[in-house]
Amino acid sequence: GIRANYVTTTGPSQPYGQQHLNEPLLDHREGQLFLTEAFKVILEEVLCKGTDVNEKVCEWREPEELATLLDLELREYGEQQHQLLQRVRDVAKYSVKTNHPRFFNQLFAGVDYHALTGRFLTEALNTSQYTYEVAPVFVLMEDEVLSKLRSLVGWAQGDGIFCPGGTMSNMYAMNLARYRAFPEVKLKGQWALPRLAVFTSQESHYSVMKAAAFQGIGTENVFKVNVDDRGCMITDDLSEKIELAKSQGAVPFLVHATSGTTVQGAFDPLEPIADICDRQGLWMHVDAAWGGSVLFSKEHRHLMRGVERWESGACSGIQLLECNFDLLKRCHSADATYLFQQDKFYDMSLDTGDKSIQCGRKVDCLKLWLMWKAVGSQGLEERVDRAFAHTRYLVEKMMKREGFQLIGKPEFVNVCFWFIPPSLRGKENSPDYQDRLSKVAPVIKERMIKQGTMMVGYQPLGGRVNFFRMIVISPQLSYQDMTFFLDEIERLGNNL
């Protein structure tokens, strides 16, 4: 192991300030040796064991025990290198292995080694993407990736920015829509505006509510539009909600559509929504932070038919935001003279930081660029089509097994279902049936976590009690993993 093989003659580090000021504070040779050994731990624990189907998805420990195992206390003096390497190993060991083939818990899973290399490289370079002078490679790279993504959507031109997540993309969209409708808000603030109204589906991401609260619009001014059984927005109800808001004295300005809802993976009908937005003069934002990957697939991109009519959107996996030229900068710029000097020796339009609501901004584009370079557009399309194929296989097998009840036929790669244990089968009309069924998923979830065999999420939704949401997205998945999943649910839940 690392601990036995790694030898250091360095004792506890000296208190800060006692080193000779004419010498570097850091020992690069020692630091690089530590990094080399730490990387071996990462390869072993995260990328070898963490992707091995025979290993556990997680090593569950109760919080008090875990805190003791990790020795989290921060002390006066630093530790020796062999102790720090053990900390690295423990962090890897007790963290959830999201790269594991049987991690189905979130809307992300698996590992792409080219993307991971991109993240290692950007962290090592440790730059911030706000000016060309400090991040020349990544300013040009982000522009290229955004241009390619615009072509997928059907835009010949436009603007965009990488965001750290779908929530931030949705906040950008709401701010831009408000600025376009009422540009005076940047100077005068919210007090100078009328009551504003936002429209989104009942199953849209919760960040819409957060954005309304954060930007002073108010959560009571977010009108929730009814959805059908699949979770898709009902456009007739959207029209009614817009008229309702007007009758209450509110001014509609934004319709937030979703391509790939968080739970059911539903796609709102973009064409009729766009028609309504055109008639009403409203900004149409499409939150495709989950479902946008279908744009890479000729077979499945029809799910986002009409997407080219958006004003802004967040696309899957990379959380970009597209909008018309110059609007991002006009809405968000603060003209910081120490960063965005007007007498620079290069084209100042390459200084993209003033478009952002952040100052320091991590480089996100290299991950996607390097992966795209490695597999090409065809490779990305294959990954999308493969996920759909695995989803179809899982559903076919599930429908043939007693005890599995689908919420509905999946539109995307979210498979939502109840597991009905033998003790509840045939008792659907019992007065306590729903209450008992609601307790099944939490118990099965606890058992799988503590045994470490897999991870899958559950939730209630609307009038439905707790049901499982299986996400079929990892490029590592096989048919065998689908079969294992069904067998394991049965094993963990048959005695309930």
Side-chain angles (χ1 to χ4, degrees):
I2 296 297
R3 191 167 188 170
N5 295 335
Y6 185 84
V7 178
T8 177
T9 58
T10 305
S13 55
Q14 293 177 293
Y16 179 77
Q18 293 185 15
Q19 295 91 343
H20 195 288
L21 295 180
N22 197 38
E23 298 175 357
L25 184 62
L26 298 177
D27 184 337
H28 285 292
R29 181 178 175 277
E30 182 181 356
Q32 290 165 10
L33 183 59
F34 173 76
L35 181 62
T36 300
E37 297 300 323
F39 193 68
K40 292 177 183 178
V41 175
I42 294 171
L43 282 173
E44 177 186 347
E45 291 290 337
V46 180
L47 299 175
C48 292
K49 290 183 180 179
T51 58
D52 186 347
V53 74
N54 297 309
E55 296 284 339
K56 290 184 176 182
V57 177
C58 67
E59 288 280 353
W60 174 261
R61 295 292 187 275
E62 295 296 334
E64 297 79 7
E65 181 187 3
L66 183 59
T68 301
L69 285 170
L70 295 175
D71 189 14
L72 293 173
E73 182 185 353
L74 299 172
R75 301 183 178 90
E76 184 77 14
Y77 299 111
E79 295 183 334
Q80 294 186 5
Q81 299 287 51
H82 74 273
Q83 293 174 297
L84 293 174
L85 284 171
Q86 187 59 41
R87 307 298 180 222
V88 173
R89 183 177 292 278
D90 288 342
V91 168
K93 179 179 180 180
Y94 295 110
S95 292
V96 174
K97 308 304 188 294
T98 66
N99 298 333
H100 196 284
R102 291 166 185 172
F103 176 83
F104 311 115
N105 208 68
Q106 256 70 46
L107 306 185
F108 61 87
V111 60
D112 181 275
Y113 290 97
H114 301 100
L116 182 59
T117 300
R119 177 56 80 197
F120 284 151
L121 183 54
T122 56
E123 291 302 315
L125 290 169
N126 192 33
T127 192
S128 187
Q129 191 161 341
Y130 37 50
T131 63
Y132 181 78
E133 64 183 278
V134 76
V137 171
F138 302 121
V139 166
L140 298 180
M141 185 180 292
E142 182 178 62
D143 184 64
E144 170 62 24
V145 175
L146 289 170
S147 176
K148 190 69 173 179
L149 289 164
R150 279 194 294 272
S151 68
L152 283 177
V153 172
W155 280 23
Q157 56 184 3
D159 198 2
I161 193 169
F162 275 71
C163 300
T167 292
M168 189 65 74
S169 295
N170 292 333
M171 288 187 172
Y172 266 106
M174 192 174 291
N175 202 40
L176 287 166
R178 181 176 60 176
Y179 177 79
R180 188 192 68 168
F182 300 98
E184 63 271 24
V185 69
K186 185 173 180 180
L187 295 176
K188 297 181 179 179
Q190 186 76 358
W191 69 270
L193 304 184
R195 176 190 170 193
L196 301 178
V198 178
F199 305 87
T200 191
S201 87
Q202 291 175 331
E203 297 192 13
S204 65
H205 195 259
Y206 68 92
S207 59
V208 181
M209 302 295 283
K210 293 180 72 171
F214 185 75
Q215 296 180 21
I217 291 168
T219 57
E220 289 186 355
N221 295 314
V222 177
F223 288 76
K224 293 294 186 73
V225 181
N226 293 334
V227 296
D228 60 22
D229 290 339
R230 297 174 302 160
C232 306
M233 183 187 290
I234 299 173
T235 53
D236 286 346
D237 191 59
L238 172 60
S239 296
E240 292 176 12
K241 289 295 194 312
I242 291 173
E243 296 307 316
L244 175 63
K246 289 179 178 179
S247 72
Q248 296 176 357
V251 177
F253 78 106
L254 168 66
V255 174
H256 179 283
T258 308
S259 289
T261 57
T262 309
V263 178
Q264 294 198 76
F267 286 75
D268 289 342
L270 301 185
E271 285 280 16
I273 292 173
D275 290 340
I276 292 171
C277 289
D278 286 348
R279 288 196 300 269
Q280 299 280 356
L282 306 180
W283 181 289
M284 176 180 167
H285 174 68
V286 179
D287 178 2
W290 175 224
S293 58
V294 300
L295 292 172
F296 287 98
S297 169
K298 290 184 287 292
E299 182 180 354
H300 301 290
R301 64 177 293 121
H302 67 88
L303 291 168
M304 291 184 65
R305 186 177 292 114
V307 66
E308 71 281 356
R309 298 175 64 183
W310 70 8
E311 271 75 32
S312 63
C315 270
S316 178
I318 40 112
Q319 315 301 351
L320 74 125
L321 184 113
E322 300 283 357
C323 70
N324 294 323
F325 273 129
D326 203 33
L327 190 62
L328 272 166
K329 185 171 183 179
R330 286 190 286 116
C331 182
H332 299 127
S333 67
D335 298 320
T337 55
Y338 73 95
L339 272 180
F340 310 113
Q341 302 93 334
Q342 298 303 298
D343 52 359
K344 289 187 176 182
F345 58 92
Y346 58 83
D347 181 358
M348 290 176 295
S349 68
L350 295 170
D351 288 353
T352 57
D354 225 8
K355 297 191 298 187
S356 171
I357 60 173
Q358 302 164 250
C359 182
R361 183 161 68 94
K362 285 285 188 180
V363 172
D364 290 316
C365 60
L366 178 58
K367 290 197 304 180
L368 178 58
W369 181 85
L370 201 56
M371 179 175 68
W372 206 330
K373 276 284 192 180
V375 303
S377 298
Q378 287 188 343
L380 296 176
E381 180 178 26
E382 182 182 359
R383 293 187 184 193
V384 174
D385 292 344
R386 181 183 175 92
F388 274 89
H390 280 134
T391 302
R392 289 192 297 270
Y393 179 85
L394 177 64
V395 170
E396 289 170 5
K397 295 299 181 183
M398 188 177 290
M399 292 175 66
K400 296 176 182 178
R401 294 205 186 197
E402 188 177 5
F404 290 89
Q405 183 179 337
L406 283 164
I407 299 297
K409 186 177 180 180
E411 193 172 17
F412 192 34
V413 294
N414 307 38
V415 182
C416 298
F417 67 95
W418 286 289
F419 177 70
I420 317 296
S423 65
L424 288 179
R425 292 171 195 170
K427 299 182 179 179
E428 291 80 4
N429 295 324
S430 301
D432 62 345
Y433 177 81
Q434 292 295 319
D435 181 59
R436 293 173 64 186
L437 180 59
S438 71
K439 298 174 183 177
V440 172
V443 174
I444 293 177
K445 176 68 177 275
E446 179 182 358
R447 290 176 177 180
M448 73 174 69
I449 292 292
K450 290 185 175 179
Q451 295 177 32
T453 55
M454 62 183 190
M455 283 184 71
V456 62
Y458 72 87
Q459 64 285 299
L461 184 68
R464 301 181 176 114
V465 299
N466 286 326
F467 59 87
F468 286 110
R469 180 198 65 171
M470 161 71 160
I471 302 298
V472 187
I473 191 65
S474 172
Q476 299 166 232
L477 290 178
S478 66
Y479 283 165
Q480 288 82 358
D481 295 311
M482 302 295 96
T483 301
F484 174 87
F485 174 79
L486 297 173
D487 291 343
E488 187 68 358
I489 291 289
E490 289 179 336
R491 184 185 75 84
L492 295 169
N494 266 339
N495 68 346
L496 294 179

